Amino acid sequence: MKTNWNRITLIAAACAVCVGVFATSANATDWGPYQVDDRRSGYTYMTDESRAMQVDSFQNPGMIWVEQGADLWNETNGKAGKSCASCHGDATESMKGVAARYPVYDEKAKKLQNVETRINTCLEKNMQAEPYKWESKEMLSMTTFINNQSLGMPVDVKIDGAAAEWYEKGKAFYYERRGQLDMACKHCHEDNAGGIIRANTLSQGQANGFPTYRLKWQKVGSLHRRFRGCNKQVRSAPFGNGSDEYLALELYVKWRGRGLPVETPAVRN
Amino acid sequence: MPSLKTLIPAIAASVLLAGTATAGDLVSYKVVDYGIPSSLTGKAGDAAAGEKTFVNRKLGNCLACHQVTKLSAHPFHGEIGPSLDGVAERYEEPQLRLQVVNAKEINPDTIMPAFYRTEGLHRVLKNFKGKPVLTAEQVEDVVAYLKTLK
């Protein structure tokens, strides 16, 4: 039988067009820096209104905490008679990049430190001041201010060396089912990101925008507060703010969002 | 006819040998062909009560993940689980029952909670410890309601 080459060519061309169409539709939206490979910032799951609110610093309600933090930065506090600025000078220089690389392993403390625990170490040891309470106005202001200095910088956490053990612990947490509803982080944020649960769109649960101004909270909140909320939603006993479990999870989740820009203060539902 | 003395150990053994014996206060049940053939309560559920349990956000909260056209009066149906429109035409009662009781018997990786299970759970919040999401009666009511989705 004679091969009908014309026909085969036509089918091949049609297939190529089909593949082309699918490839284009899968990448319909160009999210710019808010997407790196298959990693998408929570920004990409929000409404246009919320996105506009976030990127305009005059509209972004989280900027109030940035301003409060800037004031605190220069305030003398504690028996040593120092302010943050006494040692760290201009935060726009000295704090730049901190949010992108934290949490980090601290050789002296022999543990992982995130921005909150690092601030309290500084307050207690160097300034001889009272540590800030987690989710207090002071802590939220200082962390929002510090993290905001890395705005737009790609998340780049270290997971080798002494941090490796914490990374593994965080990863195990992420995949472990918990609570009466028996769900792991991955069931919502990996298997069903983009899906709708009740009135909400599930995101990948990225950590690059914290502290985040949540419309539901009407204020900024820490990543560990969000972890606690998630754990309670699946009817699981939450861990404490600043606990080793959440520090490890913070490192792992930050790693999952590697390359995404720091967005503090992000605006989210 | 077997005497009562021989019957009691036989019953005890059959409970132990059941496909999935749940401990605690839960009724034990037997899984056959990816289903639970017998009612957990020994009687049929109440479909009207089941609809209430199905919708209630503190009980079944099924609409969080599943869409049901007949319940469109209730806002915000989730989409991460399959639509349950016509589910009674796709599954028999025993399969519907197991799906509600413990969907992980069918798909171990599913996000769907087991609504009638207390064992093997990790770090359950104090108020919910040792309690299933739904009682045996509520499970049967929900199964009866699902059977109306044709």
Side-chain angles (χ1 to χ4, degrees):
Chain A
M1 198 181 125
K2 194 185 159 194
T3 315
N4 187 343
W5 286 108
N6 283 342
R7 196 169 163 190
I8 288 171
T9 313
L10 196 69
I11 292 168
C15 287
V17 168
C18 284
V19 169
V21 165
F22 284 121
T24 328
S25 64
N27 295 316
T29 313
D30 176 10
W31 290 111
Y34 297 101
Q35 174 162 14
V36 178
D37 300 332
D38 57 354
R39 308 188 286 280
R40 280 172 57 179
S41 162
Y43 180 90
T44 69
Y45 296 98
M46 297 295 298
T47 61
D48 288 344
E49 291 77 14
S50 302
R51 281 196 284 267
M53 194 191 281
Q54 177 180 317
V55 296
D56 178 351
S57 54
F58 290 101
Q59 268 198 67
N60 186 330
M63 290 308 287
I64 295 166
W65 282 264
V66 174
E67 284 159 29
Q68 289 167 172
D71 291 342
L72 271 181
W73 182 262
N74 294 306
E75 244 173 53
T76 307
N77 182 12
K79 288 184 195 133
K82 289 180 187 169
S83 71
C84 303
S86 309
C87 296
H88 298 286
D90 180 0
T92 60
E93 285 300 322
S94 63
M95 293 296 117
K96 199 171 179 175
V98 167
R101 68 171 195 273
Y102 265 62
V104 297
Y105 185 79
D106 179 345
E107 286 294 344
K108 267 194 224 161
K110 296 267 176 261
K111 65 177 285 186
L112 204 67
Q113 293 254 37
N114 72 354
V115 175
E116 284 91 340
T117 64
R118 191 71 191 78
I119 289 168
N120 274 346
T121 303
C122 227
L123 279 166
E124 288 186 281
K125 297 214 165 136
N126 303 331
M127 298 166 78
Q128 295 169 42
E130 284 293 309
Y132 293 151
K133 287 204 173 71
W134 208 283
E135 300 304 303
S136 64
K137 183 185 166 188
E138 290 79 12
M139 183 61 100
L140 289 172
S141 300
M142 191 58 83
T143 50
T144 308
F145 171 66
I146 289 174
N147 290 3
N148 182 250
Q149 305 311 317
S150 306
L151 190 67
M153 292 177 72
V155 168
D156 184 19
V157 289
K158 217 168 128 55
I159 59 164
D160 56 358
E165 196 186 317
W166 291 80
Y167 166 86
E168 290 300 337
K169 206 174 146 191
K171 184 179 179 181
F173 189 111
Y174 193 88
Y175 287 100
E176 184 171 33
R177 287 182 182 272
R178 62 191 67 248
Q180 191 198 39
L181 301 189
D182 202 27
M183 292 176 194
C185 308
K186 80 109 182 179
H187 287 109
C188 284
H189 301 294
E190 185 172 277
D191 296 353
N192 287 293
I196 294 174
I197 193 157
R198 274 292 173 195
N200 297 316
T201 303
L202 290 167
S203 76
Q204 292 181 353
Q206 300 291 2
N208 56 313
F210 282 86
T212 285
Y213 185 91
R214 245 189 124 191
L215 299 163
K216 186 181 160 186
W217 292 336
Q218 290 290 297
K219 64 182 287 193
V220 296
S222 72
L223 181 61
H224 291 202
R225 178 181 178 187
R226 192 69 194 86
F227 287 162
R228 287 173 61 84
C230 264
N231 282 175
K232 285 188 269 186
Q233 261 179 325
V234 299
R235 299 181 177 175
S236 176
F239 288 91
N241 287 324
S243 60
D244 285 355
E245 287 80 4
Y246 282 171
L247 287 170
L249 183 61
E250 176 172 350
L251 177 64
Y252 177 67
V253 173
K254 280 288 276 280
W255 177 84
R256 287 180 69 91
R258 62 205 177 280
L260 293 176
V262 172
E263 292 174 39
T264 312
V267 175
R268 300 285 186 265
N269 281 336
Chain B
M1 204 180 137
S3 72
L4 202 63
K5 262 188 183 170
T6 54
L7 254 180
I8 291 168
I11 292 167
S14 72
V15 169
L16 286 172
L17 290 171
T20 309
T22 41
D25 299 332
L26 301 194
V27 177
S28 59
Y29 56 84
K30 199 172 176 186
V31 177
V32 181
D33 295 333
Y34 296 102
I36 301 172
S38 338
S39 162
L40 299 179
T41 58
K43 53 185 183 185
D46 173 348
E51 180 179 330
K52 284 183 188 148
T53 301
F54 183 97
V55 170
N56 188 315
R57 292 184 185 217
K58 297 214 181 296
L59 294 173
N61 196 20
C62 308
L63 291 175
C65 297
H66 299 281
Q67 178 270 335
V68 179
T69 305
K70 281 182 185 171
L71 297 174
S72 50
H74 301 273
F76 307 129
H77 297 204
E79 291 174 4
I80 66 171
S83 165
L84 297 180
D85 285 350
V87 73
E89 282 160 4
R90 298 190 291 278
Y91 298 98
E92 299 294 330
E93 184 184 308
Q95 282 72 44
L96 292 173
R97 186 175 288 111
L98 180 59
Q99 187 70 40
V100 175
V101 165
N102 185 6
K104 278 150 211 144
E105 294 263 4
I106 302 155
N107 171 15
D109 199 35
T110 186
I111 185 173
M112 184 167 165
F115 286 86
Y116 194 70
R117 175 186 165 195
T118 54
E119 296 293 301
L121 301 175
H122 174 57
R123 280 186 76 82
V124 175
L125 206 55
K126 211 175 157 193
N127 303 350
F128 298 101
K129 229 172 204 167
K131 295 173 193 163
V133 182
L134 299 178
T135 64
E137 195 179 358
Q138 286 166 336
V139 168
E140 289 307 324
D141 292 347
V142 168
V143 170
Y145 172 67
L146 290 172
K147 283 173 71 186
T148 69
L149 297 177
K150 288 182 180 168

